[in-house]
Amino acid sequence: SLVANHNNLGSYKVPKVLFTSYSSWYGAFQVQSPPYKSRFVQDAGGVYPDLSAFDAFKEMHWTGTQVSAFRFPEANLSQFHAALQLADVLVDETYPHGQTMDSIEAAYRLPNMTLGLTRILSGDDPAFDSTGWSLVSHGVGEKLFTVGPA
């Protein structure tokens, strides 16, 4: 947007991403951080925010060699909300899939806040439909090019 371009003139911000979910089975909120998801985030040009302030909620992988998640019991909802505020992008993985913004807001018991627009693209081909414009306008793609016959 024009405002974002003006505020970030000459700067580049790497998006901070969290994979999150709520489990009524465990009665807990989770931030998942296994290495394969970290690789997805890095390949897309993002990073995980620093979650060291939440080490009390850290869960190690069964091998004991890496962090697999941060699990916040319902009694620690405010800490979960604090972790969410560190991210620019949240990827909700709550089961069942196909959640709406309303169902996510209700499950996470979010305080009054403005939630961003969510969108499911028709594909990842920038030449198809409005996908290319969506990728660029939402900061996923840097430039939009069209390629025609030589």
mmCIF file of all heavy atoms in Angstrom, residues 53-104:
data_model
loop_
_atom_site.group_PDB
_atom_site.id
_atom_site.type_symbol
_atom_site.label_atom_id
_atom_site.label_comp_id
_atom_site.label_asym_id
_atom_site.label_seq_id
_atom_site.Cartn_x
_atom_site.Cartn_y
_atom_site.Cartn_z
ATOM 1 N N ALA A 53 11.461 -15.935 25.204
ATOM 2 C CA ALA A 53 10.743 -15.490 26.405
ATOM 3 C C ALA A 53 9.697 -16.512 26.848
ATOM 4 O O ALA A 53 9.185 -16.420 27.969
ATOM 5 C CB ALA A 53 10.066 -14.142 26.138
ATOM 6 N N PHE A 54 9.406 -17.479 25.992
ATOM 7 C CA PHE A 54 8.374 -18.475 26.282
ATOM 8 C C PHE A 54 8.966 -19.870 26.480
ATOM 9 O O PHE A 54 8.285 -20.871 26.285
ATOM 10 C CB PHE A 54 7.331 -18.481 25.158
ATOM 11 C CG PHE A 54 6.775 -17.113 24.881
ATOM 12 C CD1 PHE A 54 7.218 -16.383 23.796
ATOM 13 C CD2 PHE A 54 5.840 -16.540 25.734
ATOM 14 C CE1 PHE A 54 6.735 -15.112 23.533
ATOM 15 C CE2 PHE A 54 5.358 -15.271 25.496
ATOM 16 C CZ PHE A 54 5.799 -14.553 24.394
ATOM 17 N N ASP A 55 10.223 -19.932 26.893
ATOM 18 C CA ASP A 55 10.891 -21.223 27.087
ATOM 19 C C ASP A 55 10.172 -22.132 28.085
ATOM 20 O O ASP A 55 10.289 -23.345 27.997
ATOM 21 C CB ASP A 55 12.346 -21.021 27.512
ATOM 22 C CG ASP A 55 13.262 -20.734 26.333
ATOM 23 O OD1 ASP A 55 12.793 -20.839 25.171
ATOM 24 O OD2 ASP A 55 14.436 -20.399 26.571
ATOM 25 N N ALA A 56 9.420 -21.555 29.002
ATOM 26 C CA ALA A 56 8.683 -22.372 29.971
ATOM 27 C C ALA A 56 7.630 -23.242 29.281
ATOM 28 O O ALA A 56 7.188 -24.245 29.850
ATOM 29 C CB ALA A 56 8.010 -21.486 31.015
ATOM 30 N N PHE A 57 7.245 -22.889 28.058
ATOM 31 C CA PHE A 57 6.209 -23.620 27.327
ATOM 32 C C PHE A 57 6.799 -24.473 26.200
ATOM 33 O O PHE A 57 6.069 -25.083 25.428
ATOM 34 C CB PHE A 57 5.193 -22.631 26.745
ATOM 35 C CG PHE A 57 4.587 -21.751 27.792
ATOM 36 C CD1 PHE A 57 5.024 -20.444 27.953
ATOM 37 C CD2 PHE A 57 3.605 -22.224 28.637
ATOM 38 C CE1 PHE A 57 4.484 -19.631 28.917
ATOM 39 C CE2 PHE A 57 3.048 -21.412 29.620
ATOM 40 C CZ PHE A 57 3.490 -20.108 29.763
ATOM 41 N N LYS A 58 8.115 -24.535 26.138
ATOM 42 C CA LYS A 58 8.802 -25.242 25.059
ATOM 43 C C LYS A 58 8.636 -26.753 25.209
ATOM 44 O O LYS A 58 8.724 -27.300 26.303
ATOM 45 C CB LYS A 58 10.289 -24.860 25.096
ATOM 46 C CG LYS A 58 11.102 -25.478 24.009
ATOM 47 C CD LYS A 58 12.503 -24.913 23.868
ATOM 48 C CE LYS A 58 13.212 -24.598 25.127
ATOM 49 N NZ LYS A 58 14.579 -24.121 24.932
ATOM 50 N N GLU A 59 8.402 -27.405 24.071
ATOM 51 C CA GLU A 59 8.354 -28.868 24.024
ATOM 52 C C GLU A 59 9.423 -29.346 23.059
ATOM 53 O O GLU A 59 9.490 -28.884 21.918
ATOM 54 C CB GLU A 59 6.986 -29.354 23.557
ATOM 55 C CG GLU A 59 5.893 -29.105 24.561
ATOM 56 C CD GLU A 59 4.612 -29.810 24.193
ATOM 57 O OE1 GLU A 59 4.466 -30.282 23.049
ATOM 58 O OE2 GLU A 59 3.742 -29.880 25.060
ATOM 59 N N MET A 60 10.216 -30.249 23.528
ATOM 60 C CA MET A 60 11.286 -30.791 22.690
ATOM 61 C C MET A 60 10.763 -31.934 21.831
ATOM 62 O O MET A 60 9.821 -32.633 22.206
ATOM 63 C CB MET A 60 12.451 -31.274 23.565
ATOM 64 C CG MET A 60 13.112 -30.167 24.373
ATOM 65 S SD MET A 60 13.779 -28.838 23.369
ATOM 66 C CE MET A 60 15.175 -29.666 22.628
ATOM 67 N N HIS A 61 11.379 -32.114 20.700
ATOM 68 C CA HIS A 61 11.110 -33.244 19.822
ATOM 69 C C HIS A 61 11.445 -34.520 20.583
ATOM 70 O O HIS A 61 12.280 -34.513 21.498
ATOM 71 C CB HIS A 61 11.980 -33.100 18.566
ATOM 72 C CG HIS A 61 11.700 -34.101 17.516
ATOM 73 N ND1 HIS A 61 12.423 -35.262 17.389
ATOM 74 C CD2 HIS A 61 10.766 -34.117 16.530
ATOM 75 C CE1 HIS A 61 11.955 -35.955 16.367
ATOM 76 N NE2 HIS A 61 10.958 -35.286 15.824
ATOM 77 N N TRP A 62 10.836 -35.626 20.228
ATOM 78 C CA TRP A 62 11.071 -36.880 20.975
ATOM 79 C C TRP A 62 12.543 -37.278 20.962
ATOM 80 O O TRP A 62 12.999 -38.012 21.838
ATOM 81 C CB TRP A 62 10.184 -38.005 20.444
ATOM 82 C CG TRP A 62 10.439 -38.389 19.019
ATOM 83 C CD1 TRP A 62 9.857 -37.871 17.909
ATOM 84 C CD2 TRP A 62 11.375 -39.371 18.565
ATOM 85 N NE1 TRP A 62 10.353 -38.463 16.775
ATOM 86 C CE2 TRP A 62 11.297 -39.398 17.148
ATOM 87 C CE3 TRP A 62 12.269 -40.228 19.189
ATOM 88 C CZ2 TRP A 62 12.080 -40.243 16.371
ATOM 89 C CZ3 TRP A 62 13.033 -41.074 18.400
ATOM 90 C CH2 TRP A 62 12.938 -41.069 17.014
ATOM 91 N N THR A 63 13.307 -36.795 19.986
ATOM 92 C CA THR A 63 14.743 -37.106 19.948
ATOM 93 C C THR A 63 15.524 -36.279 20.961
ATOM 94 O O THR A 63 16.674 -36.596 21.266
ATOM 95 C CB THR A 63 15.328 -36.824 18.551
ATOM 96 O OG1 THR A 63 15.165 -35.431 18.260
ATOM 97 C CG2 THR A 63 14.676 -37.674 17.487
ATOM 98 N N GLY A 64 14.907 -35.204 21.452
ATOM 99 C CA GLY A 64 15.583 -34.326 22.402
ATOM 100 C C GLY A 64 16.590 -33.390 21.765
ATOM 101 O O GLY A 64 17.327 -32.694 22.463
ATOM 102 N N THR A 65 16.629 -33.345 20.447
ATOM 103 C CA THR A 65 17.642 -32.550 19.751
ATOM 104 C C THR A 65 17.127 -31.215 19.231
ATOM 105 O O THR A 65 17.921 -30.392 18.801
ATOM 106 C CB THR A 65 18.216 -33.329 18.554
ATOM 107 O OG1 THR A 65 17.145 -33.622 17.643
ATOM 108 C CG2 THR A 65 18.874 -34.619 19.018
ATOM 109 N N GLN A 66 15.817 -31.012 19.247
ATOM 110 C CA GLN A 66 15.262 -29.785 18.675
ATOM 111 C C GLN A 66 13.922 -29.448 19.310
ATOM 112 O O GLN A 66 13.245 -30.320 19.836
ATOM 113 C CB GLN A 66 15.092 -29.948 17.165
ATOM 114 C CG GLN A 66 14.187 -31.097 16.822
ATOM 115 C CD GLN A 66 14.490 -31.713 15.472
ATOM 116 O OE1 GLN A 66 15.534 -31.473 14.894
ATOM 117 N NE2 GLN A 66 13.586 -32.507 14.968
ATOM 118 N N VAL A 67 13.546 -28.188 19.225
ATOM 119 C CA VAL A 67 12.242 -27.744 19.718
ATOM 120 C C VAL A 67 11.195 -28.106 18.675
ATOM 121 O O VAL A 67 11.393 -27.860 17.483
ATOM 122 C CB VAL A 67 12.239 -26.213 19.949
ATOM 123 C CG1 VAL A 67 10.863 -25.740 20.378
ATOM 124 C CG2 VAL A 67 13.289 -25.836 20.975
ATOM 125 N N SER A 68 10.092 -28.696 19.105
ATOM 126 C CA SER A 68 9.035 -29.025 18.153
ATOM 127 C C SER A 68 7.827 -28.096 18.285
ATOM 128 O O SER A 68 7.085 -27.917 17.332
ATOM 129 C CB SER A 68 8.585 -30.478 18.300
ATOM 130 O OG SER A 68 7.995 -30.680 19.556
ATOM 131 N N ALA A 69 7.641 -27.512 19.481
ATOM 132 C CA ALA A 69 6.474 -26.645 19.676
ATOM 133 C C ALA A 69 6.599 -25.875 20.980
ATOM 134 O O ALA A 69 7.454 -26.170 21.823
ATOM 135 C CB ALA A 69 5.195 -27.479 19.687
ATOM 136 N N PHE A 70 5.726 -24.919 21.112
ATOM 137 C CA PHE A 70 5.496 -24.225 22.377
ATOM 138 C C PHE A 70 4.024 -24.444 22.672
ATOM 139 O O PHE A 70 3.164 -24.073 21.873
ATOM 140 C CB PHE A 70 5.798 -22.724 22.245
ATOM 141 C CG PHE A 70 7.253 -22.422 22.045
ATOM 142 C CD1 PHE A 70 7.835 -22.546 20.794
ATOM 143 C CD2 PHE A 70 8.040 -22.020 23.110
ATOM 144 C CE1 PHE A 70 9.177 -22.276 20.600
ATOM 145 C CE2 PHE A 70 9.386 -21.744 22.925
ATOM 146 C CZ PHE A 70 9.955 -21.873 21.674
ATOM 147 N N ARG A 71 3.724 -25.106 23.797
ATOM 148 C CA ARG A 71 2.338 -25.412 24.155
ATOM 149 C C ARG A 71 1.915 -24.547 25.335
ATOM 150 O O ARG A 71 2.535 -24.573 26.392
ATOM 151 C CB ARG A 71 2.181 -26.879 24.504
ATOM 152 C CG ARG A 71 0.718 -27.263 24.741
ATOM 153 C CD ARG A 71 0.558 -28.710 25.053
ATOM 154 N NE ARG A 71 1.125 -29.500 23.948
ATOM 155 C CZ ARG A 71 0.657 -30.679 23.590
ATOM 156 N NH1 ARG A 71 -0.339 -31.221 24.230
ATOM 157 N NH2 ARG A 71 1.220 -31.340 22.615
ATOM 158 N N PHE A 72 0.847 -23.760 25.114
ATOM 159 C CA PHE A 72 0.335 -22.843 26.120
ATOM 160 C C PHE A 72 -0.997 -23.372 26.644
ATOM 161 O O PHE A 72 -1.989 -23.347 25.908
ATOM 162 C CB PHE A 72 0.109 -21.453 25.513
ATOM 163 C CG PHE A 72 1.356 -20.804 24.973
ATOM 164 C CD1 PHE A 72 1.803 -21.088 23.694
ATOM 165 C CD2 PHE A 72 2.071 -19.907 25.744
ATOM 166 C CE1 PHE A 72 2.944 -20.487 23.180
ATOM 167 C CE2 PHE A 72 3.214 -19.296 25.241
ATOM 168 C CZ PHE A 72 3.651 -19.586 23.961
ATOM 169 N N PRO A 73 -1.047 -23.860 27.888
ATOM 170 C CA PRO A 73 -2.334 -24.283 28.443
ATOM 171 C C PRO A 73 -3.317 -23.105 28.458
ATOM 172 O O PRO A 73 -2.912 -21.945 28.447
ATOM 173 C CB PRO A 73 -1.986 -24.714 29.870
ATOM 174 C CG PRO A 73 -0.519 -24.993 29.834
ATOM 175 C CD PRO A 73 0.055 -24.053 28.823
ATOM 176 N N GLU A 74 -4.604 -23.416 28.478
ATOM 177 C CA GLU A 74 -5.619 -22.359 28.469
ATOM 178 C C GLU A 74 -5.411 -21.334 29.577
ATOM 179 O O GLU A 74 -5.738 -20.166 29.407
ATOM 180 C CB GLU A 74 -7.016 -22.965 28.545
ATOM 181 C CG GLU A 74 -7.395 -23.687 27.270
ATOM 182 C CD GLU A 74 -8.802 -24.243 27.288
ATOM 183 O OE1 GLU A 74 -9.445 -24.275 28.364
ATOM 184 O OE2 GLU A 74 -9.271 -24.650 26.215
ATOM 185 N N ALA A 75 -4.854 -21.760 30.698
ATOM 186 C CA ALA A 75 -4.598 -20.832 31.808
ATOM 187 C C ALA A 75 -3.533 -19.794 31.452
ATOM 188 O O ALA A 75 -3.409 -18.777 32.130
ATOM 189 C CB ALA A 75 -4.166 -21.606 33.057
ATOM 190 N N ASN A 76 -2.770 -20.042 30.400
ATOM 191 C CA ASN A 76 -1.700 -19.134 29.978
ATOM 192 C C ASN A 76 -2.042 -18.429 28.663
ATOM 193 O O ASN A 76 -1.169 -18.174 27.839
ATOM 194 C CB ASN A 76 -0.385 -19.898 29.843
ATOM 195 C CG ASN A 76 0.028 -20.525 31.145
ATOM 196 O OD1 ASN A 76 -0.215 -21.707 31.364
ATOM 197 N ND2 ASN A 76 0.614 -19.735 32.018
ATOM 198 N N LEU A 77 -3.301 -18.094 28.506
ATOM 199 C CA LEU A 77 -3.779 -17.457 27.289
ATOM 200 C C LEU A 77 -3.055 -16.139 27.002
ATOM 201 O O LEU A 77 -2.715 -15.842 25.861
ATOM 202 C CB LEU A 77 -5.287 -17.217 27.385
ATOM 203 C CG LEU A 77 -5.964 -16.573 26.189
ATOM 204 C CD1 LEU A 77 -5.825 -17.450 24.958
ATOM 205 C CD2 LEU A 77 -7.438 -16.316 26.503
ATOM 206 N N SER A 78 -2.786 -15.356 28.027
ATOM 207 C CA SER A 78 -2.129 -14.056 27.803
ATOM 208 C C SER A 78 -0.716 -14.236 27.241
ATOM 209 O O SER A 78 -0.275 -13.443 26.401
ATOM 210 C CB SER A 78 -2.099 -13.223 29.087
ATOM 211 O OG SER A 78 -1.356 -13.883 30.086
ATOM 212 N N GLN A 79 -0.006 -15.274 27.652
ATOM 213 C CA GLN A 79 1.325 -15.538 27.090
ATOM 214 C C GLN A 79 1.214 -15.964 25.624
ATOM 215 O O GLN A 79 2.041 -15.592 24.803
ATOM 216 C CB GLN A 79 2.089 -16.592 27.905
ATOM 217 C CG GLN A 79 2.570 -16.073 29.236
ATOM 218 C CD GLN A 79 1.578 -16.335 30.349
ATOM 219 O OE1 GLN A 79 0.401 -16.595 30.126
ATOM 220 N NE2 GLN A 79 2.058 -16.263 31.576
ATOM 221 N N PHE A 80 0.197 -16.765 25.306
ATOM 222 C CA PHE A 80 -0.027 -17.159 23.912
ATOM 223 C C PHE A 80 -0.303 -15.918 23.060
ATOM 224 O O PHE A 80 0.268 -15.757 21.974
ATOM 225 C CB PHE A 80 -1.193 -18.150 23.817
ATOM 226 C CG PHE A 80 -1.556 -18.535 22.418
ATOM 227 C CD1 PHE A 80 -0.693 -19.272 21.621
ATOM 228 C CD2 PHE A 80 -2.790 -18.172 21.885
ATOM 229 C CE1 PHE A 80 -1.037 -19.633 20.321
ATOM 230 C CE2 PHE A 80 -3.139 -18.533 20.591
ATOM 231 C CZ PHE A 80 -2.258 -19.259 19.810
ATOM 232 N N HIS A 81 -1.146 -15.021 23.559
ATOM 233 C CA HIS A 81 -1.436 -13.777 22.832
ATOM 234 C C HIS A 81 -0.165 -12.947 22.661
ATOM 235 O O HIS A 81 0.044 -12.343 21.593
ATOM 236 C CB HIS A 81 -2.506 -12.964 23.545
ATOM 237 C CG HIS A 81 -3.870 -13.544 23.408
ATOM 238 N ND1 HIS A 81 -4.934 -13.126 24.168
ATOM 239 C CD2 HIS A 81 -4.372 -14.522 22.607
ATOM 240 C CE1 HIS A 81 -6.016 -13.801 23.845
ATOM 241 N NE2 HIS A 81 -5.693 -14.665 22.899
ATOM 242 N N ALA A 82 0.693 -12.924 23.660
ATOM 243 C CA ALA A 82 1.956 -12.182 23.554
ATOM 244 C C ALA A 82 2.846 -12.777 22.465
ATOM 245 O O ALA A 82 3.494 -12.048 21.709
ATOM 246 C CB ALA A 82 2.686 -12.171 24.897
ATOM 247 N N ALA A 83 2.863 -14.101 22.366
ATOM 248 C CA ALA A 83 3.647 -14.756 21.313
ATOM 249 C C ALA A 83 3.078 -14.423 19.938
ATOM 250 O O ALA A 83 3.835 -14.156 18.995
ATOM 251 C CB ALA A 83 3.669 -16.268 21.523
ATOM 252 N N LEU A 84 1.754 -14.398 19.809
ATOM 253 C CA LEU A 84 1.132 -14.075 18.528
ATOM 254 C C LEU A 84 1.508 -12.667 18.062
ATOM 255 O O LEU A 84 1.676 -12.420 16.873
ATOM 256 C CB LEU A 84 -0.395 -14.174 18.614
ATOM 257 C CG LEU A 84 -1.007 -15.541 18.863
ATOM 258 C CD1 LEU A 84 -2.528 -15.443 18.867
ATOM 259 C CD2 LEU A 84 -0.538 -16.552 17.842
ATOM 260 N N GLN A 85 1.645 -11.754 19.014
ATOM 261 C CA GLN A 85 1.956 -10.369 18.656
ATOM 262 C C GLN A 85 3.357 -10.199 18.095
ATOM 263 O O GLN A 85 3.660 -9.165 17.504
ATOM 264 C CB GLN A 85 1.756 -9.458 19.865
ATOM 265 C CG GLN A 85 0.293 -9.325 20.236
ATOM 266 C CD GLN A 85 0.082 -8.489 21.484
ATOM 267 O OE1 GLN A 85 1.028 -8.083 22.139
ATOM 268 N NE2 GLN A 85 -1.167 -8.234 21.808
ATOM 269 N N LEU A 86 4.200 -11.200 18.223
ATOM 270 C CA LEU A 86 5.549 -11.132 17.672
ATOM 271 C C LEU A 86 5.580 -11.429 16.178
ATOM 272 O O LEU A 86 6.582 -11.189 15.519
ATOM 273 C CB LEU A 86 6.472 -12.118 18.398
ATOM 274 C CG LEU A 86 6.691 -11.867 19.882
ATOM 275 C CD1 LEU A 86 7.532 -12.996 20.480
ATOM 276 C CD2 LEU A 86 7.348 -10.520 20.113
ATOM 277 N N ALA A 87 4.483 -11.958 15.654
ATOM 278 C CA ALA A 87 4.456 -12.402 14.255
ATOM 279 C C ALA A 87 3.772 -11.394 13.344
ATOM 280 O O ALA A 87 2.873 -10.667 13.767
ATOM 281 C CB ALA A 87 3.740 -13.743 14.161
ATOM 282 N N ASP A 88 4.222 -11.393 12.099
ATOM 283 C CA ASP A 88 3.555 -10.623 11.051
ATOM 284 C C ASP A 88 2.543 -11.494 10.314
ATOM 285 O O ASP A 88 1.559 -11.002 9.780
ATOM 286 C CB ASP A 88 4.585 -10.117 10.030
ATOM 287 C CG ASP A 88 5.633 -9.230 10.667
ATOM 288 O OD1 ASP A 88 5.240 -8.288 11.389
ATOM 289 O OD2 ASP A 88 6.827 -9.476 10.456
ATOM 290 N N VAL A 89 2.818 -12.806 10.282
ATOM 291 C CA VAL A 89 1.973 -13.761 9.565
ATOM 292 C C VAL A 89 1.686 -14.940 10.480
ATOM 293 O O VAL A 89 2.606 -15.505 11.080
ATOM 294 C CB VAL A 89 2.676 -14.278 8.284
ATOM 295 C CG1 VAL A 89 1.836 -15.328 7.583
ATOM 296 C CG2 VAL A 89 3.016 -13.133 7.353
ATOM 297 N N LEU A 90 0.425 -15.325 10.593
ATOM 298 C CA LEU A 90 0.027 -16.521 11.341
ATOM 299 C C LEU A 90 -0.538 -17.531 10.360
ATOM 300 O O LEU A 90 -1.400 -17.200 9.552
ATOM 301 C CB LEU A 90 -1.044 -16.199 12.382
ATOM 302 C CG LEU A 90 -0.671 -15.213 13.474
ATOM 303 C CD1 LEU A 90 -1.884 -14.933 14.353
ATOM 304 C CD2 LEU A 90 0.479 -15.741 14.298
ATOM 305 N N VAL A 91 -0.056 -18.758 10.449
ATOM 306 C CA VAL A 91 -0.589 -19.851 9.634
ATOM 307 C C VAL A 91 -1.342 -20.757 10.601
ATOM 308 O O VAL A 91 -0.748 -21.457 11.416
ATOM 309 C CB VAL A 91 0.537 -20.634 8.921
ATOM 310 C CG1 VAL A 91 -0.051 -21.777 8.105
ATOM 311 C CG2 VAL A 91 1.372 -19.701 8.056
ATOM 312 N N ASP A 92 -2.676 -20.706 10.530
ATOM 313 C CA ASP A 92 -3.503 -21.498 11.444
ATOM 314 C C ASP A 92 -3.580 -22.931 10.944
ATOM 315 O O ASP A 92 -3.879 -23.181 9.781
ATOM 316 C CB ASP A 92 -4.905 -20.914 11.540
ATOM 317 C CG ASP A 92 -5.797 -21.784 12.389
ATOM 318 O OD1 ASP A 92 -5.548 -21.870 13.609
ATOM 319 O OD2 ASP A 92 -6.719 -22.418 11.842
ATOM 320 N N GLU A 93 -3.306 -23.870 11.847
ATOM 321 C CA GLU A 93 -3.375 -25.295 11.514
ATOM 322 C C GLU A 93 -4.365 -26.035 12.403
ATOM 323 O O GLU A 93 -4.268 -27.227 12.602
ATOM 324 C CB GLU A 93 -1.986 -25.915 11.659
ATOM 325 C CG GLU A 93 -0.982 -25.309 10.713
ATOM 326 C CD GLU A 93 0.372 -25.977 10.787
ATOM 327 O OE1 GLU A 93 0.881 -26.178 11.910
ATOM 328 O OE2 GLU A 93 0.914 -26.300 9.721
ATOM 329 N N THR A 94 -5.348 -25.304 12.910
ATOM 330 C CA THR A 94 -6.354 -25.909 13.769
ATOM 331 C C THR A 94 -7.193 -26.900 12.983
ATOM 332 O O THR A 94 -7.611 -26.617 11.867
ATOM 333 C CB THR A 94 -7.266 -24.819 14.370
ATOM 334 O OG1 THR A 94 -6.460 -23.887 15.083
ATOM 335 C CG2 THR A 94 -8.299 -25.415 15.308
ATOM 336 N N TYR A 95 -7.419 -28.072 13.558
ATOM 337 C CA TYR A 95 -8.277 -29.083 12.945
ATOM 338 C C TYR A 95 -9.713 -28.809 13.357
ATOM 339 O O TYR A 95 -9.949 -28.490 14.517
ATOM 340 C CB TYR A 95 -7.853 -30.486 13.397
ATOM 341 C CG TYR A 95 -8.683 -31.562 12.761
ATOM 342 C CD1 TYR A 95 -8.383 -32.008 11.482
ATOM 343 C CD2 TYR A 95 -9.787 -32.086 13.410
ATOM 344 C CE1 TYR A 95 -9.156 -32.982 10.877
ATOM 345 C CE2 TYR A 95 -10.560 -33.054 12.811
ATOM 346 C CZ TYR A 95 -10.244 -33.493 11.550
ATOM 347 O OH TYR A 95 -11.010 -34.443 10.948
ATOM 348 N N PRO A 96 -10.720 -28.932 12.543
ATOM 349 C CA PRO A 96 -10.637 -29.284 11.136
ATOM 350 C C PRO A 96 -10.170 -28.092 10.315
ATOM 351 O O PRO A 96 -10.357 -26.950 10.699
ATOM 352 C CB PRO A 96 -12.068 -29.673 10.784
ATOM 353 C CG PRO A 96 -12.915 -28.847 11.684
ATOM 354 C CD PRO A 96 -12.111 -28.716 12.960
ATOM 355 N N HIS A 97 -9.579 -28.402 9.173
ATOM 356 C CA HIS A 97 -9.078 -27.350 8.304
ATOM 357 C C HIS A 97 -10.250 -26.596 7.686
ATOM 358 O O HIS A 97 -11.382 -27.029 7.747
ATOM 359 C CB HIS A 97 -8.159 -27.941 7.235
ATOM 360 C CG HIS A 97 -7.016 -28.700 7.847
ATOM 361 N ND1 HIS A 97 -6.032 -28.084 8.585
ATOM 362 C CD2 HIS A 97 -6.734 -30.012 7.874
ATOM 363 C CE1 HIS A 97 -5.181 -28.988 9.021
ATOM 364 N NE2 HIS A 97 -5.582 -30.175 8.600
ATOM 365 N N GLY A 98 -9.946 -25.458 7.084
ATOM 366 C CA GLY A 98 -11.003 -24.653 6.487
ATOM 367 C C GLY A 98 -11.624 -23.696 7.481
ATOM 368 O O GLY A 98 -12.790 -23.324 7.369
ATOM 369 N N GLN A 99 -10.858 -23.298 8.468
ATOM 370 C CA GLN A 99 -11.348 -22.357 9.458
ATOM 371 C C GLN A 99 -11.617 -20.999 8.800
ATOM 372 O O GLN A 99 -11.041 -20.663 7.777
ATOM 373 C CB GLN A 99 -10.308 -22.169 10.569
ATOM 374 C CG GLN A 99 -9.970 -23.426 11.331
ATOM 375 C CD GLN A 99 -11.106 -23.889 12.209
ATOM 376 O OE1 GLN A 99 -11.819 -23.097 12.796
ATOM 377 N NE2 GLN A 99 -11.286 -25.194 12.298
ATOM 378 N N THR A 100 -12.468 -20.218 9.418
ATOM 379 C CA THR A 100 -12.722 -18.850 8.972
ATOM 380 C C THR A 100 -12.071 -17.902 9.974
ATOM 381 O O THR A 100 -11.664 -18.323 11.068
ATOM 382 C CB THR A 100 -14.223 -18.555 8.910
ATOM 383 O OG1 THR A 100 -14.749 -18.616 10.248
ATOM 384 C CG2 THR A 100 -14.947 -19.556 8.009
ATOM 385 N N MET A 101 -11.998 -16.631 9.626
ATOM 386 C CA MET A 101 -11.437 -15.666 10.570
ATOM 387 C C MET A 101 -12.258 -15.643 11.857
ATOM 388 O O MET A 101 -11.712 -15.527 12.942
ATOM 389 C CB MET A 101 -11.375 -14.272 9.944
ATOM 390 C CG MET A 101 -10.345 -14.164 8.829
ATOM 391 S SD MET A 101 -8.670 -14.648 9.326
ATOM 392 C CE MET A 101 -8.217 -13.312 10.370
ATOM 393 N N ASP A 102 -13.576 -15.782 11.737
ATOM 394 C CA ASP A 102 -14.424 -15.784 12.931
ATOM 395 C C ASP A 102 -14.142 -16.992 13.817
ATOM 396 O O ASP A 102 -14.066 -16.869 15.039
ATOM 397 C CB ASP A 102 -15.906 -15.761 12.541
ATOM 398 C CG ASP A 102 -16.328 -14.428 11.945
ATOM 399 O OD1 ASP A 102 -15.677 -13.405 12.232
ATOM 400 O OD2 ASP A 102 -17.315 -14.416 11.182
ATOM 401 N N SER A 103 -13.982 -18.177 13.214
ATOM 402 C CA SER A 103 -13.737 -19.374 14.030
ATOM 403 C C SER A 103 -12.348 -19.328 14.663
ATOM 404 O O SER A 103 -12.162 -19.784 15.793
ATOM 405 C CB SER A 103 -13.933 -20.652 13.208
ATOM 406 O OG SER A 103 -12.961 -20.767 12.198
ATOM 407 N N ILE A 104 -11.360 -18.763 13.954
ATOM 408 C CA ILE A 104 -10.016 -18.627 14.530
ATOM 409 C C ILE A 104 -10.035 -17.634 15.680
ATOM 410 O O ILE A 104 -9.473 -17.885 16.751
ATOM 411 C CB ILE A 104 -9.009 -18.197 13.446
ATOM 412 C CG1 ILE A 104 -8.833 -19.312 12.417
ATOM 413 C CG2 ILE A 104 -7.664 -17.819 14.066
ATOM 414 C CD1 ILE A 104 -8.095 -18.879 11.171
#
